[in-house]
Amino acid sequence: QLQASGGGLVQPGGSLMISCAASGSIFSINDMGWYRQAPGKRRELDAVITSGGRRNYAESVKGRFTISRDNAKNTVYLQMSNLKPEDTAVYYCNSAIVELGKSYEYSLWGQGTLVTVSS
């Protein structure tokens, strides 16, 4: 399973870090990513990081958000800075997981964590 944490209320211009830890019978994790879903909108990708550390970002968060991972802890982080009210959303983590004894990966979603940017 994926367990996300760290959401909360932050003022515009502020910073927040959210994290997501994978647990279970994990052999390896390939891509790990963060998505957001604002009320009434579809889920969209903010950032993704490969197992080798290559990162890609949505244009809307470039220069403000940084994705990182700790492979020893099976955890992915999203450091968010200069937050704007339009960043308010539920943030979901996603990981491409290969289980022990299996040769294929599957996509696993976390439960989401709410980030509210408001004064």
Side-chain angles (χ1 to χ4, degrees):
Q1 64 175 3
L2 290 179
Q3 183 68 44
S5 61
L9 174 65
V10 61
Q11 292 187 341
S15 298
L16 192 68
M17 176 179 276
I18 54 178
S19 62
C20 180
S23 61
S25 301
I26 298 170
F27 173 70
S28 65
I29 303 177
N30 296 324
D31 290 359
M32 303 182 84
W34 285 99
Y35 293 71
R36 70 169 75 181
Q37 187 165 20
K41 295 188 177 181
R42 61 183 178 91
R43 193 172 299 186
E44 57 185 21
L45 177 66
D46 269 354
V48 62
I49 183 168
T50 68
S51 57
R54 181 176 296 180
R55 300 169 172 85
N56 280 296
Y57 297 94
E59 286 297 324
S60 61
V61 306
K62 277 183 180 178
R64 300 190 299 123
F65 290 10
T66 301
I67 189 170
S68 60
R69 63 190 286 171
D70 184 333
N71 291 329
K73 296 181 179 179
N74 291 331
T75 299
V76 61
Y77 306 92
L78 188 68
Q79 175 68 51
M80 302 179 287
S81 302
N82 190 21
L83 282 160
K84 306 174 181 179
E86 53 263 42
D87 293 318
T88 295
V90 177
Y91 284 74
Y92 296 91
C93 55
N94 177 269
S95 293
I97 292 178
V98 179
E99 286 187 331
L100 289 169
K102 303 291 177 61
S103 59
Y104 57 86
E105 69 176 39
Y106 69 94
S107 179
L108 186 64
W109 288 93
Q111 86 283 10
T113 185
L114 176 63
V115 173
T116 303
V117 184
S118 175
S119 56

